[in-house]
Amino acid sequence: MASLKKLNDALSKLEEWLLLCGLGAMFIVLLVQVISRYLFNYSLIWSEVFARYMYLWIVFLGISFGVRNKKHIRVSILYDHYPRSFQKFMYIFLDLAALVFFTIQIPVGIRFCQGYFAVPAAGLPISMGFVYLALPIGYTTVSLRLIAEIITTLLEKGPNGPIKEEC
């Protein structure tokens, strides 16, 4: 359990750092774009493309962040009116269903991005394969996070775990 917690904490720190850097880079590039366009009448050709690709990375890494903070979409009406033991069962079942989906998507994402390594990105000197690498990396991080969540929920003492999500 201690090694799972260490892995979970390390993944959390890496995730937060990458999301913060990605958001910061996107903000700075778009701010420079707006300033250069309106003050100097000069537009950076690559800024909008960079922001679009950075947004893709932020979304796919953010899925795992949402799972960790229990902020992903759930239909909570199903288990709000049932006993805690049933809530725990439903929570594990929904996490398992999501885990199956994201685990299936990992090889699909790998095959998808492999097909784009020969394609250059428009406006940036990188391959589109690196842009689409966000898919398998995002699917892998969310799968690891779901495994940790399932194990944590299973190891909780009794049926009264912290199942209810706060808004």
Side-chain angles (χ1 to χ4, degrees):
M1 183 68 180
S3 62
L4 177 65
K5 180 154 176 41
K6 282 184 180 181
L7 175 66
N8 201 14
D9 291 343
L11 184 60
S12 296
K13 289 191 187 311
L14 177 65
E15 215 169 57
E16 288 174 7
W17 184 82
L18 289 173
L19 287 171
L20 184 64
C21 288
L23 281 171
M26 191 168 76
F27 173 76
I28 289 170
V29 166
L30 289 177
L31 181 66
V32 169
Q33 165 67 1
V34 169
I35 291 170
S36 71
R37 180 183 293 164
Y38 289 107
L39 291 182
F40 305 117
N41 204 20
Y42 176 76
S43 183
L44 302 173
I45 297 169
W46 55 271
S47 64
E48 293 175 35
V49 175
F50 174 82
R52 189 176 309 130
Y53 297 158
M54 189 56 64
Y55 183 72
L56 178 76
W57 273 89
I58 290 168
V59 165
F60 278 94
L61 290 176
I63 297 170
S64 177
F65 186 78
V67 168
R68 184 191 83 193
N69 294 317
K70 294 183 179 15
K71 298 294 182 192
H72 50 296
I73 298 173
R74 290 185 185 269
V75 183
S76 61
I77 196 164
L78 290 176
Y79 49 77
D80 282 348
H81 301 290
Y82 291 101
R84 295 289 250 184
S85 58
F86 183 73
Q87 290 178 7
K88 186 174 179 177
F89 168 76
M90 283 300 295
Y91 200 81
I92 292 170
F93 175 76
L94 293 173
D95 279 347
L96 281 171
L99 178 62
V100 167
F101 172 77
F102 287 115
T103 304
I104 290 170
Q105 292 304 313
I106 293 169
V108 173
I110 290 170
R111 281 192 307 274
F112 180 76
C113 75
Q114 281 176 340
Y116 283 94
F117 273 106
V119 178
L124 291 175
I126 61 169
S127 165
M128 286 301 293
F130 290 114
V131 174
Y132 293 130
L133 202 57
L135 280 71
I137 290 175
Y139 295 144
T140 302
T141 57
V142 75
S143 295
L144 291 172
R145 181 72 67 195
L146 284 166
I147 290 168
E149 288 293 321
I150 291 167
I151 292 171
T152 302
T153 305
L154 284 172
L155 294 177
E156 290 172 350
K157 302 286 187 230
N160 298 326
I163 301 299
K164 185 136 179 144
E165 299 170 9
E166 307 258 338
C167 293

